[in-house]
Amino acid sequence: AIARRFAREGYAACMTRRSHDKLQPLLDQITADGGTAHGFASDARKEDEVIALVEQIESTIGPIEVLVFNIGANAPSSVLDETARKYFKIWEMACFGGFLNGREVAKRMVTRAGPDCPQTIVFTGATASLRGGANFAAFAGAKHALRALSQSMARELGPKGIHVAHVVIDGAIDTAFIAENFPERYALKSADGILDPDAIAESYWQIHRQHRSAWTHEMDLRPWTENF
């Protein structure tokens, strides 16, 4: 939804995930809607792949004006059963990947940022960014770390003209995963009780378009019925 929203505004949407084939339906949809879309296969945890991806986009498509880091990594487990390997992998996905991508893109953005050339980095957070819950020690630790990264980057890069924001998504999202695994939650969709991806995307677009005299660093999004 975020890619589609920016593509509607004339941006070339560049999406990446480990499997390129899974991007094809989205690429086709953006193209059918008149937008420009490119898909890439890369692992956000691998430094060499991130460096190569950013270089490829910058050299063959154009300067990156917006980065949205949107990796999930929500894999609940009792701390008594958690393995070192999975704990580390969750941190790699949710935090280390954010650092690698944010660093590489920021290196390019800082050379061209200005009032007439807005540069934006948005990190997607979660309820676990703000508080740890039972069975979510690994996820909460990683999301807390991503939030700290975004704060540090915002304080360093904001004065250099780069808008760094962190968005806390607090609630279930209207996705196939929620529909299949949490049908009772998905049933709340008819009453706007779960997050609409297009509504989330609209908030991301608004963050990017904010005037630099009134930047938002952290935004929380939740359904009107959600407890918090």
Side-chain angles (χ1 to χ4, degrees):
I2 295 166
R4 289 189 286 103
R5 182 66 183 88
F6 278 80
R8 288 206 308 272
E9 300 294 337
Y11 283 75
C14 299
M15 290 77 67
T16 181
R17 58 184 303 167
R18 280 173 290 183
S19 175
H20 179 275
D21 291 344
K22 294 182 179 179
L23 284 171
Q24 198 58 52
L26 177 58
L27 296 171
D28 293 341
Q29 182 180 18
I30 291 175
T31 302
D33 291 339
T36 301
H38 305 271
F40 302 89
S42 65
D43 190 329
R45 302 167 299 167
K46 306 299 184 183
E47 184 176 26
D48 57 342
E49 294 189 26
V50 173
I51 292 173
L53 173 67
V54 172
E55 172 60 28
Q56 182 180 1
I57 292 172
E58 289 264 339
S59 62
T60 65
I61 299 173
I64 299 172
E65 296 183 15
V66 184
L67 167 68
V68 176
F69 183 78
N70 202 41
I71 290 179
N74 187 347
S77 173
S78 167
V79 72
L80 303 176
D81 301 323
E82 189 66 274
T83 65
R85 178 179 179 276
K86 186 157 73 69
Y87 188 98
F88 184 69
K89 182 177 180 180
I90 289 171
W91 171 80
E92 277 190 311
M93 293 169 63
C95 178
F96 184 60
F99 157 70
L100 291 177
N101 284 268
R103 182 196 68 186
E104 287 307 305
V105 171
K107 285 180 180 179
R108 308 302 183 99
M109 287 181 168
V110 76
T111 65
R112 53 187 178 246
D116 299 321
C117 188
Q119 310 286 302
T120 305
I121 297 174
V122 181
F123 295 104
T124 298
T127 309
S129 303
L130 305 180
R131 64 178 185 273
N135 301 311
F136 290 94
F139 184 57
K143 282 297 188 181
H144 271 62
L146 182 68
R147 186 183 186 218
L149 171 71
S150 69
Q151 289 178 358
S152 294
M153 289 181 63
R155 291 185 169 101
E156 177 180 351
L157 300 177
K160 300 180 187 299
I162 301 175
H163 184 187
V164 181
H166 178 256
V167 182
V168 177
I169 307 297
D170 184 20
I173 304 174
D174 180 2
T175 62
F177 176 81
I178 296 297
E180 294 168 6
N181 294 278
F182 302 96
E184 71 289 347
R185 294 283 294 179
Y186 195 77
L188 300 175
K189 176 181 177 178
S190 60
D192 296 327
I194 59 176
L195 286 138
D196 183 334
D198 289 329
I200 295 173
E202 185 63 35
S203 293
Y204 280 54
W205 171 250
Q206 291 171 4
I207 287 173
H208 175 55
R209 297 306 302 163
Q210 285 179 337
H211 190 270
R212 65 177 182 169
S213 68
W215 274 353
T216 293
H217 168 62
E218 187 160 77
M219 174 184 287
D220 52 345
L221 301 175
R222 64 180 61 85
W224 66 286
T225 58
E226 188 81 15
N227 293 322
F228 68 100

